[in-house]
Amino acid sequence: SRICVITLAEAHPLLQSGKTIKNINYQISANCSRLQNKVSGKSKRGAQFLTELAPLCRISSSDGEEYTIYSCIRGRLIEVNENILSNPALLQEKPSTEGYIAVVLPKFEESKSITQGLLTQKEYEEVLLKRRSSAS
């Protein structure tokens, strides 16, 4: 199944620094809220279409930092995780399960090229190692 679950990467600053998440906001602009996404039927009618650079939400931490989380993938927004609104700690405690941010369904013809462009866990860890060694 070609659904993509959007989560925070384990290297994201919110998961690294022991920060406390204060607020999660799916209101992207005055006219656009991801919470207004209403999907129906097999063809997912009514789903908001996202580009790779489409913001999904904004997360504020207790130290005043704000992070915009982007889709990073083209497709239809199937759902947003409203549970993290009332329990933001899920993002940090269970980032790859109950603390997911959204579910996106890429177009069928694009899904293969998307998955081919993904890094394996090993490749991702190598990128993080390079990033850490160049930062120090």
Side-chain angles (χ1 to χ4, degrees):
S1 83
R2 61 186 205 275
I3 66 165
C4 298
V5 180
I6 311 296
T7 65
L8 286 181
E10 59 191 57
H12 193 281
L14 279 167
L15 300 182
Q16 291 300 305
S17 55
K19 293 186 180 202
T20 306
I21 296 173
K22 189 174 80 180
N23 179 31
I24 298 161
N25 191 353
Y26 283 113
Q27 186 78 37
I28 299 310
S29 67
N31 300 326
C32 180
S33 171
R34 299 300 179 208
L35 292 172
Q36 300 303 312
N37 191 55
K38 299 291 178 236
V39 181
S40 66
K42 192 172 157 187
S43 62
K44 307 300 178 214
R45 274 188 312 280
Q48 295 174 11
F49 189 78
L50 304 171
T51 64
E52 298 89 343
L53 299 175
L56 286 171
C57 67
R58 291 191 177 81
I59 303 173
S60 306
S61 65
S62 53
D63 66 358
E65 287 284 332
E66 185 175 89
Y67 301 90
T68 300
I69 307 301
Y70 297 93
S71 171
C72 300
I73 197 165
R74 278 170 44 97
R76 292 178 180 273
L77 179 63
I78 302 304
E79 74 174 69
V80 294
N81 184 0
E82 293 185 34
N83 295 331
I84 61 175
L85 295 174
S86 58
N87 188 0
L90 283 175
L91 273 174
Q92 292 163 310
E93 293 164 6
K94 300 179 178 181
S96 56
T97 57
E98 294 164 54
Y100 71 96
I101 294 166
V103 177
V104 177
L105 183 68
K107 284 185 174 174
F108 183 76
E109 55 274 12
E110 292 179 13
S111 60
K112 193 172 192 106
S113 66
I114 290 168
T115 52
Q116 286 172 340
L118 296 175
L119 300 177
T120 65
Q121 182 69 26
K122 189 175 185 328
E123 290 167 333
Y124 173 68
E125 288 165 3
E126 288 168 5
V127 168
L128 292 180
L129 275 173
K130 283 182 192 152
R131 201 181 283 170
R132 283 188 200 114
S133 62
S134 68
S136 53

